[in-house]
Amino acid sequence: MPLVKNPILPGFNPDPSILRVGQDYYIATSTFEWYPGVQIHHSTDLANWTLLTRPLRRKAQLDMRGDPDSCGVWAPCLSHDGDKFWLVYTDVKRKDGSFKDAHNYIVWADKIDGEWSDPVYVNSSGFDPSLFHDPDSGKKYFVNMLWDHRRRPLLFAGIAVQEWDAETKKLVGGRKNVYQGTELALAEAPHVYKRNNGWYYLLIAEGGTGYEHACTLARSKDIWGPYETHPEKYVLTSKDHPRAALQRAGHGDIVETEDGRTYLVHLTGRPTTQLRRCVLGRETAIQECYWKDDWLYVKNGPVPSLWVDLLGERDESKYWEEKRYTFEDGLHKDFQWLRTPETERIFNVKDGKLTLIGREAIGSWFEQALVARRQEHFSYDAETVMDFSPTDERQFAGLTAYYCRYNFFYLTVTAHSDGQRELLIMSSEASWPIGNLNTPYVPYVQIPNEGKVKLALTIRGNQLQFYYAVLGSGDEELKKIGPVFDASIVSDECGGHQQHGSFTGAFVGVAASDLNGLAAEAKFDYFVYKPVKNQQDAYVRDRE
């Protein structure tokens, strides 16, 4: 079988849930505050994946206005019961501090790329829910971790199981805490499976989503337990191997191929620099597995392998191709925006242009006009052309490398209080908890009050450089503006919360704000994302 290099979903694609229906494989991943909610990728060979749909795209399904950074949609679970597709997800409204306000929902659909139902609320007792369809009894069970703000004795209190009635769309019977995990603690991300050997298997994540992360396996002859822990406890982890190519390995899900092979998908991180910063966020990798004495083992595990035998050979050319986005046919599926289902208030696509409608400031948790795509390469170029006529300093728009409120770099076209247009770089570099811009500002550059402006940036590993050109000025060659910034700031580790408390990844895109409340518009002709091969990229250089 062909050897394929991990990760299979590069860039911000965490918490994978995998499903096979016939010859088709699907992976659902978390999207947090990015809209629409949940990414579902499709493959027929486990090696080549394409973005198929984002099912949570209506206000009735998801409205995240007010959700803090790294809240929103956590850890979806995608399943099929022989009749319908089912999707379970959490909308997290608060995550920092002693409390988690995490609301769990179920939606379903006949076709995975069709319209999904309005959500049915299930519970709020914890997060990372999954739905298990028992192949023998036909019953469905809702499984989620339990949160105990008292820490009596555990904050992550264990894994709860309760029957869910598909007819009444309600939980029925009692809830039972069936498994509390190991001494590694922080039991979450449960998935239940039943094999034809009579065993129920419970796969969970432990250790948190940082460098102590792991997949722990347990089994029982009864869905209600008791569950015994795997003889090696952790079937997958990098926690004791800091030089492994794939770090932070955990939060997994299991799938079997048509010919009986078993694979485990899991999240992973590829840190760069001596500060071990994961700019690409938490990505999805895959491992080949085998069964021994009715226990699952990862081949060459528990440390994840960089190279894995899969069903097909990956077409690397698609990963490296330049993406030039125009707007004649709407907004390309690679792009997302933040939190709101009411897109008409923040952008529209018509007459071949993307128009952003200036709303609140960049970093707002409510209504900001920002449209961006994932950074999937350690090095790349980005470019756009913008038409924008600000009247004062409270109107600004431009090109941004963005993670969240507390870490971004933003090249803007704005104006001074006298109306003179200028270029101004705003940056917020690991500014939690205040969220201030870095001062002193990089010196501004005055530009003519008329004419489109080309904005560009280059990232080479941890070095970011902005460029600009004023079109129609007679000198349209791109010029550097500002210093070389530390691009590794746009990473999980600088996301603005306690260590390992930021869960998304770097994006690059365009934004607009009008703090006067006048909804000034910025029009963009195109957007270019051009990958660049760099020695820090795991697709270029082995690290094992």
Side-chain angles (χ1 to χ4, degrees), residues 184-477:
L184 191 56
L186 308 182
E188 58 184 343
H191 291 284
V192 175
Y193 318 87
K194 190 175 187 181
R195 289 176 62 80
N196 58 14
N197 58 8
W199 288 103
Y200 290 90
Y201 292 89
L202 175 60
L203 181 69
I204 68 168
E206 290 192 281
T209 194
Y211 291 96
E212 296 297 305
H213 210 191
C215 285
T216 305
L217 189 67
R219 71 182 184 186
S220 173
K221 285 292 186 177
D222 191 316
I223 184 71
W224 302 106
Y227 283 84
E228 60 174 309
T229 302
H230 194 286
E232 293 189 2
K233 293 183 182 177
Y234 316 117
V235 294
L236 180 80
T237 186
S238 306
K239 66 184 181 66
D240 302 316
H241 298 268
R243 296 183 62 83
L246 302 177
Q247 291 293 310
R248 304 171 68 182
H251 199 126
D253 196 9
I254 298 167
V255 70
E256 288 196 352
T257 64
E258 284 189 292
D259 62 359
R261 299 173 70 184
T262 303
Y263 287 91
L264 172 75
V265 293
H266 62 94
L267 73 76
T268 191
R270 293 181 287 166
T272 63
T273 78
Q274 291 182 331
L275 297 174
R276 304 191 85 195
R277 290 175 174 171
C278 295
V279 174
L280 302 189
R282 299 173 305 154
E283 308 171 281
T284 289
I286 191 168
Q287 304 299 324
E288 189 176 4
C289 302
Y290 63 94
W291 293 90
K292 179 182 176 183
D293 300 327
D294 288 331
W295 284 111
L296 179 87
Y297 292 83
V298 169
K299 185 178 179 180
N300 301 319
V303 181
S305 297
L306 187 60
W307 291 90
V308 181
D309 279 317
L310 296 180
L311 307 182
E313 185 176 355
R314 180 163 44 215
D315 180 1
E316 296 284 359
S317 64
K318 292 184 178 180
Y319 177 70
W320 289 108
E321 69 183 8
E322 176 180 316
K323 296 288 185 68
R324 184 177 182 89
Y325 304 100
T326 57
F327 304 112
E328 286 83 4
D329 299 317
L331 188 67
H332 193 279
K333 64 182 179 181
D334 287 350
F335 289 96
Q336 288 183 272
W337 55 97
L338 287 162
R339 296 182 175 85
T340 180
E342 296 182 352
T343 57
E344 69 278 3
R345 285 187 53 80
I346 61 170
F347 73 85
N348 61 69
V349 181
K350 59 185 179 182
D351 301 325
K353 298 183 187 300
L354 169 64
T355 299
L356 297 189
I357 304 165
R359 297 295 181 188
E360 295 172 344
I362 188 169
S364 168
W365 291 345
F366 291 86
E367 194 174 52
Q368 62 163 311
L370 188 154
V371 173
R373 58 149 291 158
R374 283 159 176 73
Q375 178 182 341
E376 297 177 351
H377 305 76
F378 290 105
S379 298
Y380 70 92
D381 299 336
E383 178 185 293
T384 190
V385 166
M386 180 180 69
D387 189 1
F388 183 54
S389 300
T391 59
D392 66 17
E393 66 272 23
R394 282 167 291 278
Q395 296 176 338
F396 45 89
L399 177 67
T400 182
Y402 185 88
Y403 188 100
C404 71
R405 169 182 292 189
Y406 305 107
N407 52 344
F408 61 83
F409 299 98
Y410 188 16
L411 173 58
T412 69
V413 173
T414 184
H416 189 45
S417 54
D418 61 4
Q420 174 61 52
R421 203 163 63 148
E422 64 187 32
L423 293 164
L424 181 68
I425 295 175
M426 304 181 190
S427 65
S428 182
E429 303 177 33
S431 64
W432 182 84
I434 303 301
N436 283 337
L437 295 174
N438 281 59
T439 55
Y441 286 97
V442 174
Y444 64 88
V445 174
Q446 286 190 350
I447 58 174
N449 278 4
E450 302 294 331
K452 296 181 179 181
V453 183
K454 181 182 290 187
L455 305 173
L457 66 81
T458 62
I459 285 183
R460 298 294 183 268
N462 65 342
Q463 297 186 334
L464 183 155
Q465 177 69 62
F466 282 116
Y467 298 82
Y468 79 97
V470 179
L471 304 187
S473 65
D475 182 9
E476 299 185 0
E477 183 177 347

Side-chain angles (χ1 to χ4, degrees), residues 143-205:
V143 187
N144 63 270
M145 66 79 67
L146 290 171
W147 184 263
D148 186 348
H149 57 275
R150 308 166 307 159
R151 301 175 183 258
R152 194 185 297 174
L154 298 170
L155 186 63
F156 288 63
I159 305 303
V161 173
Q162 189 170 2
E163 187 179 347
W164 187 78
D165 189 306
E167 293 297 322
T168 63
K169 306 293 191 292
K170 292 182 178 179
L171 294 168
V172 295
R175 181 183 72 197
K176 185 177 181 181
N177 186 337
V178 299
Y179 186 65
Q180 293 76 51
T182 73
E183 66 274 12
L184 191 56
L186 308 182
E188 58 184 343
H191 291 284
V192 175
Y193 318 87
K194 190 175 187 181
R195 289 176 62 80
N196 58 14
N197 58 8
W199 288 103
Y200 290 90
Y201 292 89
L202 175 60
L203 181 69
I204 68 168

Side-chain angles (χ1 to χ4, degrees), residues 49-70:
W49 295 87
T50 57
L51 179 60
L52 181 65
T53 186
R54 296 189 186 98
L56 305 180
R57 51 181 180 250
R58 303 193 306 273
K59 184 177 181 180
Q61 295 170 322
L62 186 65
D63 187 343
M64 298 182 290
R65 284 173 288 192
D67 288 10
D69 294 322
S70 288

Side-chain angles (χ1 to χ4, degrees), residues 10-36:
F12 162 46
N13 285 287
D15 311 327
S17 171
I18 191 167
L19 168 67
R20 179 178 66 83
V21 179
Q23 296 180 335
D24 295 297
Y25 297 87
Y26 305 98
I27 290 179
T29 52
S30 301
T31 43
F32 295 87
E33 66 264 35
W34 291 92
Y35 212 97

